Amino acid sequence: MAMTGVLRPGHISLRVLDLEEGINFYKNTLGLVETGRDDQGRVYFKAWDERDHNSVLIREATEAGVDFFAFKVADKATLEKLDGDLQAFGLTTERIPAGEMLETGERVRFKIPSGHFIELYAEKTDVGNGQPYVNPNPWIPAAEHGIAPSRMDHCLLYGDDLDGSVKLFTEVLGFGIAEQVMLAGDKKFMIGAFLSCSNKAHDVAFIRQPVKGKFHHASFELRSWEQVLRAGDILSRTKTSIDIGPTRHGITRGETIYFFDPSGNRNEVFSGGYIYYPDKPVITWYDESLGPAIFYHDRKLNEAFLSVFT
């Protein structure tokens, strides 16, 4: 798959109610690596196998939730082109200068129809994963710290204008629809969309809700179902609030467990899923089968999964 535009998710900025609690959770329970702090009070993290300087930022605020979600693009020329395409689509874009975030180049920020702020950027400092680019080891002991996901993988966002957001991501940013959830009584009415800019089952997902700019979860990738079970043990041992799991999705086929940070932001760790290519037909689910679509083993929805968001 020739990846020439939007490459992958790059970073997410979350609001937490207590910064020290948040640092302890993301560093010691989730097992991310702290990479810096800035004069705005933001703390930066990355997963152990990520080479870019950061993928998760947290800052203290009076309300939990997401500030913005960002995607890395191929190069500066792509960033310029997409900025123009976004404006032609009718969006207002903001250029945020290099260095406003630690070790991160210029960013283009814009508000999508669902009310979320999305960013694009082309440059971020490669700080490595503790292994060289020549003759590296396949694994490092630091990966055993906490749950220790290998990467920040995707997020799920709640918003009212699902159609507008899907149109933007597919027609302007070049994403494909891997899976969709439709209303059984009106097969043209979309409830959810799982969108990919890569070979993954999804890089971002949207669920239609009568709200603007809400955050459902950020997801982190693990290497195996066994690692998901190990994550469940760590969450229980640390008395972390678990939403549901370990279980399996019908949508994307991934094995999963959902849990909350101390501020109520939902996280997920998962493994598995399938390889996505742009010529793959869209998989469609209907709302009457939403139970096994989301939680394949239970075959029914956990009410908190639908109603709790930040």
Side-chain angles (χ1 to χ4, degrees), residues 57-245:
L57 293 75
I58 63 172
R59 71 174 180 92
E60 189 167 285
T62 57
E63 182 180 13
V66 62
D67 286 327
F68 49 82
F69 185 56
F71 295 89
K72 191 173 188 178
V73 304
D75 49 38
K76 285 185 176 182
T78 301
L79 189 66
E80 293 294 335
K81 179 183 184 303
L82 289 174
D83 190 6
D85 293 344
L86 289 163
Q87 293 180 43
F89 185 77
L91 299 183
T92 299
T93 63
E94 176 187 3
R95 301 296 285 253
I96 301 174
E100 192 277 340
M101 267 179 54
L102 295 182
E103 306 297 332
T104 304
E106 185 178 33
R107 293 132 61 207
V108 173
R109 181 182 293 174
F110 51 98
K111 193 175 191 178
I112 65 175
S114 59
H116 300 92
F117 285 99
I118 300 295
E119 295 184 347
L120 305 176
Y121 69 96
E123 297 179 324
K124 188 173 288 187
T125 301
D126 181 341
V127 297
N129 68 351
Q131 295 295 307
Y133 283 114
V134 177
N135 301 329
N137 292 312
W139 168 87
I140 56 176
E144 291 301 313
H145 179 73
I147 293 173
S150 61
R151 67 171 184 259
M152 187 274 291
D153 189 81
H154 67 268
C155 74
L156 172 59
L157 304 173
Y158 272 14
D160 57 346
D161 192 348
L162 175 63
D163 304 299
S165 294
V166 170
K167 181 180 177 69
L168 168 66
F169 271 81
T170 55
E171 296 185 8
V172 180
L173 300 179
F175 284 62
I177 303 175
E179 305 200 33
Q180 60 186 359
V181 182
M182 310 298 284
L183 191 66
D186 180 357
K187 292 181 169 56
K188 294 183 179 180
F189 187 80
M190 181 181 285
I191 299 171
F194 297 77
L195 308 172
S196 180
C197 64
S198 64
N199 288 124
K200 291 153 48 186
H202 59 324
D203 291 294
V204 66
F206 292 94
I207 297 293
R208 188 189 300 271
Q209 286 282 352
V211 291
K212 284 280 190 189
K214 294 300 182 180
F215 172 72
H216 189 271
H217 72 265
S219 187
F220 299 85
E221 192 266 350
L222 294 174
R223 291 166 287 171
S224 68
W225 175 232
E226 182 182 9
Q227 291 291 307
V228 176
L229 297 176
R230 174 180 173 275
D233 290 342
I234 291 172
L235 294 170
S236 183
R237 187 171 70 237
T238 56
K239 298 180 172 57
T240 300
S241 176
I242 294 176
D243 185 7
I244 193 167

